[in-house]
Amino acid sequence: MKDQCAAPNCSGDQTEPEPLFRFPLDPGRSKTWVEKCQRQDLVDKMPEQLYRHYRLCAKHFDSAAFDGESQRTALKDEAIPTVFDTSSQPASGQVKRSNEMTKENEVKTKGRKRAKKSQEDPVNEEPNQITLTAEEEHKEYLKTLFEVIVLLGEQSIPPTGPAQGKAENLESSNLQAVLDHRMSCGDTVLKKRYEETKECCSLEHLQQIIEVCEKSVRSKVIEEVKQNGFFSVLTDELVKISGQWYLPVFLRFVDQSNYQRERFAGFLAFNRDDQAERMLSELTEEWGLDLAQCRGQAHSFSGSHFSQIKAFATKLMENNPKAVLTLRSTRTLNESLASSMPSSGVQLVLSTLKKIESFFGQSSQLQQEFEHAIFISYPDKEEKVKELKESCQSNWTRGHDAFEVAVEILEALLLCIDSMHDNEDMRWTDQVTNDALDISKALTDFEFVMTLVVLKNVTTLTRAFGKNLQGSAAEVRLAADSVKGVLQSLKEVSDNIDVYHEFWNDEAVTLATAMEIPVKVPRSYLRKNRSEGEILGVEKYYKEHLSVPVVKHFISELNQLFSEDHLKNLKGLSLVPTVIEQNKSTQPEEECVQVFNEDIPNAANLSAELHCWWVKWSKRGKGETFSCSLQETLQLADVKFFPNMLAVLRRVSVLPTLALEESSDLAYKRFRMYMEKTPEAFKSKSLALLNMNSDYVLELDSAVEMYLKTYADQQEGS
């Protein structure tokens, strides 16, 4: 009913499309709406059901019911429908009497048919009639379960809570509490079920319902992506749910209104064997994703699973060469490059920085203590203290200059952490002191100090480039032209690594000495190599096991993440009006759009259309402002007259490299919130998908049919 008007004999949603308005949640107003539209079959439905599944179109409200600024798209808070065609329908009482007479006539007719059939066939037909009723009741029961699961899932309320761990039954669960409320409000189907089985839902049945919800929601996500053409596949760090590792998958596309969108599509089961083929098969065969339409991919590589994720990315590109590998905009370039290194020292630095951020983020008191330590460490340097305090206030460990900031505050950080661990004034809890000790052990390991110094110096060469990648269209376009320069700088360091490493080693030793940290090679290295009799000295060890691998890894990753095809795609940003205006003295770069020839509606007209577009935006009139972002350009009214340019802009927009605007970046934020706020015992891959796509309305009838089809062999026992 959600896409139809609930008023009898109304065709407002078919012949002349009208805005539809939900029934109100307020019980009193909901009852009034039902009375006004004279639908006796809705009288017994709860306000929540009416709100979710029934609408009235704008034809049934007079002009005074609408918000003055809305132009018939929003109702006033107390709006009541009053405009109905009563000539073609009976009054409320007449409807009831008519319904009763109709039912009576149906009963008589069925009775006559049964009597006639009984003369021809001695088998009594009554059992079939009872079976039909039971089937309808079972469907109503399933609808109720789906509705409750959707309600809980959208609000991120675990159905099996509040019990800790895995409950053996659902007697004291959130799900049972809602079902009890439904029964107390007169849900006869639920009540009958409970009286017959002594439970409304079993754990096994609940899991089946949740899995069907997952499939239903994912089918809507995939359908929306299909309707909008090209897309990109993005994956995040592996997560563990119910003891199983999963790879989170997002899809980026441009919708029918030319807005960039990103959707969470679900989790791929992750095992160490045969990853690439199996995961691609799941995407295409089980999810129904058409990878031929994929034009980009980005993955949050981590050192421990680098090879498996890389194999998946390689296999996807083998199947579809246009699915170019790119950087993902939710991470800085420097963080992404470092995270993908399997080096123990690099992983130690990254994990410690995460612990530090989490530790000081617990309370403002801890943050103030940290800032006080910075103040003590930089006496008579007020500007420096102010700068470092601002740098360390939010998410600093994931910033473009994270390693540089970490080196600058390292002494202050250790001073603060050690003070908290000592806890001489008894200000801190045992948990705080234990966490402080854990961080202190990492900070006083020379491998940590040396690795941090190396990362600081190497990422200095990529910092400006990475920052531009997350900037405006003009800055990203500039970054695409500067890749070769960045790679050349890194190659120069690699060619002269002996000289550079000597400087880095001296810096690390000086810092460690000031912090009273012993300068030595890792204990794990000594343990593995002591029997061979040849132990490398400190400087040589870190050159061979740290400095050389880090520089080589950065060069290799930049070459893969910014391939020639990726850079050609990024150069499509030259079509953004501000970029054209900034380069108005030059001629349009036809080669920057030729890469899109196969994905545009009319390649024969591309050159002429490009020149018209270029002329249009190359000169700024007095007081005229140009669109500075890709998203703004897609919303220009004139863009529809340039179909090839629109197609190119839409193609560029799906690249994971480009940062999304706040309104388009909700999927990833909701994903992080769910994973961080939901207790481990209650995390569910199915409910996570439901929670992060709560704007989709689950069609209960379709969900019930999918459930019955999926679990047909279990229906007799249900």
Side-chain angles (χ1 to χ4, degrees):
M1 294 294 297
K2 67 184 183 63
D3 296 325
Q4 300 177 359
C5 180
N9 303 320
C10 179
S11 59
D13 55 320
Q14 299 171 4
T15 57
E16 300 174 23
E18 291 279 353
L20 292 165
F21 304 102
R22 293 175 181 268
F23 273 62
L25 278 170
D26 176 71
R29 292 186 61 224
S30 180
K31 182 180 179 182
T32 302
W33 279 40
V34 171
E35 291 174 350
K36 290 290 185 180
C37 70
Q38 300 182 16
R39 284 282 300 273
Q40 288 299 312
D41 57 316
L42 303 184
V43 170
D44 296 328
K45 293 188 179 294
M46 294 169 50
E48 291 84 356
Q49 290 177 288
L50 294 168
Y51 173 80
R52 184 176 293 278
H53 303 296
Y54 293 89
R55 312 282 191 270
L56 283 178
C57 73
K59 283 188 173 184
H60 306 294
F61 299 86
D62 59 33
S63 57
F66 295 101
D67 189 318
E69 302 176 356
S70 70
Q71 296 184 345
R72 287 166 54 88
T73 59
L75 294 173
K76 292 181 179 178
D77 291 341
E78 301 300 322
I80 298 294
T82 56
V83 183
F84 293 95
D85 181 9
T86 57
S87 62
S88 60
Q89 60 184 355
S92 177
Q94 291 176 317
V95 169
K96 185 174 181 180
R97 286 192 296 274
S98 176
N99 288 341
E100 290 173 350
M101 290 176 65
T102 301
K103 289 180 181 178
E104 184 179 350
N105 289 334
E106 287 177 355
V107 170
K108 290 179 180 178
T109 302
K110 288 178 181 177
R112 285 194 296 269
K113 287 182 179 179
R114 281 198 297 270
K116 182 178 181 181
K117 187 171 182 178
S118 64
Q119 295 174 1
E120 302 170 357
D121 185 355
V123 178
N124 196 328
E125 191 183 324
E126 192 61 24
N128 291 332
Q129 196 66 24
I130 295 173
T131 302
L132 179 62
T133 304
E135 288 176 359
E136 293 302 318
E137 283 188 355
H138 185 55
K139 287 184 178 181
E140 286 301 316
Y141 159 70
L142 291 174
K143 281 185 184 179
T144 298
L145 289 185
F146 276 112
E147 193 169 9
V148 172
I149 292 301
V150 168
L151 175 65
L152 295 174
E154 289 178 351
Q155 301 300 320
S156 198
I157 300 172
T160 55
Q164 295 299 317
K166 294 218 172 195
E168 294 183 2
N169 55 56
L170 300 171
E171 288 182 4
S172 59
S173 66
N174 292 322
L175 174 65
Q176 189 60 49
V178 178
L179 294 178
D180 287 342
H181 175 70
R182 294 283 296 247
M183 286 189 285
S184 67
C185 291
D187 193 319
T188 56
V189 173
L190 265 183
K191 205 166 188 178
K192 182 179 178 182
R193 172 86 179 190
Y194 185 76
E195 290 171 353
E196 291 176 351
T197 64
K198 303 307 177 187
E199 65 176 4
C200 289
C201 184
S202 65
L203 281 169
E204 181 183 6
H205 195 188
L206 170 63
Q207 187 56 39
Q208 293 171 352
I209 293 290
I210 291 175
E211 287 176 0
V212 170
C213 285
E214 176 186 10
K215 291 178 181 177
S216 297
V217 172
R218 181 182 294 115
S219 67
K220 288 180 175 290
V221 173
I222 301 301
E223 184 59 33
E224 183 180 12
V225 173
K226 282 182 178 179
Q227 289 175 355
N228 290 288
F230 304 121
F231 64 91
S232 288
V233 174
L234 304 88
T235 67
D236 202 61
E237 296 275 5
L238 289 172
V239 297
K240 203 169 190 178
I241 299 176
S242 301
Q244 168 70 49
W245 286 103
Y246 290 99
L247 186 67
V249 178
F250 297 79
L251 301 173
R252 180 181 290 196
F253 58 97
V254 178
D255 67 16
Q256 296 294 317
S257 300
N258 289 330
Y259 279 99
Q260 292 169 293
R261 290 284 179 258
E262 203 165 284
R263 286 283 191 186
F264 177 65
F267 297 92
L268 292 174
F270 187 89
N271 302 302
R272 289 190 176 273
D273 302 324
D274 302 324
Q275 284 297 349
E277 289 286 358
R278 184 190 53 76
M279 290 196 293
L280 283 175
S281 175
E282 188 171 344
L283 284 175
T284 55
E285 295 178 16
E286 293 186 30
W287 291 16
L289 200 58
D290 181 8
L291 291 179
Q293 296 290 91
C294 182
R295 291 297 180 267
Q297 57 173 317
H299 311 280
S300 297
F301 296 110
S302 62
S304 55
H305 301 99
F306 178 79
S307 59
Q308 290 95 338
I309 305 299
K310 181 70 78 175
F312 172 70
T314 303
K315 182 60 69 174
L316 175 55
M317 197 176 296
E318 284 177 3
N319 292 351
N320 178 15
K322 290 188 177 182
V324 295
L325 183 63
T326 76
L327 178 73
R328 187 176 179 188
S329 62
T330 51
R331 306 177 83 184
T332 65
L333 174 65
N334 286 341
E335 180 190 12
S336 182
L337 293 174
S339 296
S340 58
M341 273 204 75
S343 161
S344 61
V346 173
Q347 292 304 313
L348 172 64
V349 168
L350 294 174
S351 63
T352 303
L353 291 182
K354 286 181 181 178
K355 289 178 183 177
I356 291 168
E357 182 179 358
S358 176
F359 179 76
F360 288 105
Q362 294 179 72
S363 70
S364 58
Q365 190 178 8
L366 290 170
Q367 181 66 26
Q368 289 169 7
E369 194 73 11
F370 181 27
E371 293 178 0
H372 180 64
I374 294 175
F375 175 77
I376 294 175
S377 299
Y378 288 92
D380 305 322
K381 292 186 178 180
E382 187 177 338
E383 286 301 317
K384 186 66 175 177
V385 170
K386 182 180 178 182
E387 177 188 335
L388 289 176
K389 282 184 178 180
E390 290 176 354
S391 297
C392 298
Q393 294 217 331
S394 63
N395 298 331
W396 69 272
T397 62
R398 289 174 259 174
H400 297 283
D401 58 352
F403 304 118
E404 184 176 349
V405 172
V407 169
E408 289 190 299
I409 55 93
L410 194 56
E411 290 185 70
L413 184 58
L414 184 59
L415 174 68
C416 178
I417 289 293
D418 283 348
S419 172
M420 290 176 174
H421 173 248
D422 294 339
N423 202 20
E424 293 178 351
D425 50 7
M426 303 300 289
R427 294 169 57 199
W428 312 109
T429 64
D430 289 344
Q431 185 63 54
V432 168
T433 58
N434 289 335
D435 290 345
L437 176 61
D438 187 35
I439 295 173
S440 178
K441 288 178 179 178
L443 297 181
T444 53
D445 185 338
F446 183 71
E447 184 180 18
F448 174 89
V449 177
M450 186 71 218
T451 305
L452 185 61
V453 169
V454 170
L455 287 173
K456 181 206 83 168
N457 285 284
V458 176
T459 56
T460 298
L461 302 174
T462 56
R463 185 178 62 199
F465 170 59
K467 194 171 183 180
N468 280 339
L469 286 172
Q470 294 188 330
S472 66
E475 290 169 330
V476 177
R477 181 67 181 80
L478 177 65
D481 288 333
S482 66
V483 174
K484 290 182 179 178
V486 174
L487 285 168
Q488 186 60 41
S489 297
L490 287 168
K491 187 176 184 303
E492 193 273 333
V493 172
S494 179
D495 292 343
N496 299 278
I497 195 62
D498 289 341
V499 176
Y500 282 97
H501 176 71
E502 185 178 348
F503 282 113
W504 300 345
N505 184 73
D506 290 345
E507 181 182 353
V509 170
T510 300
L511 183 57
T513 302
M515 298 168 65
E516 300 180 347
I517 297 173
V519 177
K520 58 183 182 181
V521 297
R523 186 172 61 86
S524 59
Y525 168 73
L526 290 174
R527 187 178 68 250
K528 292 177 182 178
N529 296 276
R530 186 176 285 113
S531 60
E532 298 179 8
E534 289 188 14
I535 303 296
L536 296 175
V538 173
E539 184 174 349
K540 190 172 182 181
Y541 168 83
Y542 284 109
K543 188 191 90 171
E544 293 185 6
H545 290 82
L546 180 63
S547 295
V548 171
V550 166
V551 176
K552 283 186 175 179
H553 176 77
F554 272 49
I555 293 173
S556 173
E557 281 300 287
L558 283 174
N559 276 316
Q560 287 198 318
L561 289 174
F562 296 94
S563 64
E564 201 62 39
D565 285 340
H566 183 196
L567 294 177
K568 286 178 180 178
N569 275 268
L570 287 177
K571 288 180 180 180
L573 290 168
S574 298
L575 299 182
V576 174
T578 50
V579 180
I580 293 176
E581 199 273 336
Q582 288 174 12
N583 299 280
K584 57 189 175 185
S585 60
T586 64
Q587 291 299 310
E589 302 176 60
E590 290 199 30
E591 64 272 15
C592 77
V593 294
Q594 292 298 333
V595 68
F596 307 104
N597 268 354
E598 296 180 13
D599 295 332
I600 59 177
N602 192 342
N605 290 341
L606 180 60
S607 179
E609 189 176 315
L610 174 62
H611 278 76
C612 290
W613 179 265
W614 201 271
V615 169
K616 179 177 178 62
W617 301 111
S618 59
K619 295 182 180 180
R620 186 193 301 228
K622 187 176 181 180
E624 186 179 5
T625 58
F626 287 165
S627 302
C628 61
S629 74
L630 184 56
Q631 183 62 78
E632 288 178 356
T633 307
L634 283 169
Q635 295 304 309
L636 290 171
D638 291 344
V639 78
K640 63 186 177 183
F641 300 114
F642 297 85
N644 285 322
M645 299 299 99
L646 175 58
V648 171
L649 291 167
R650 285 176 61 92
R651 268 278 277 104
V652 174
S653 294
V654 305
L655 286 176
T657 322
L658 307 177
L660 294 175
E661 294 185 356
E662 285 289 322
S663 60
S664 302
D665 197 22
L666 298 178
Y668 183 69
K669 292 176 181 176
R670 295 194 72 168
F671 169 77
R672 296 308 318 164
M673 184 178 295
Y674 180 88
M675 297 308 300
E676 291 169 8
K677 302 296 184 184
T678 306
E680 290 296 326
F682 299 128
K683 283 180 181 175
S684 163
K685 70 181 186 71
S686 303
L687 291 176
L689 181 63
L690 187 61
N691 176 260
M692 283 167 255
N693 293 284
S694 57
D695 54 325
Y696 286 129
V697 176
L698 187 70
E699 296 173 359
L700 297 184
D701 289 330
S702 298
V704 168
E705 291 304 319
M706 182 184 291
Y707 175 87
L708 294 173
K709 183 178 180 181
T710 305
Y711 300 102
D713 58 332
Q714 301 179 25
Q715 293 312 301
E716 282 191 20
S718 66

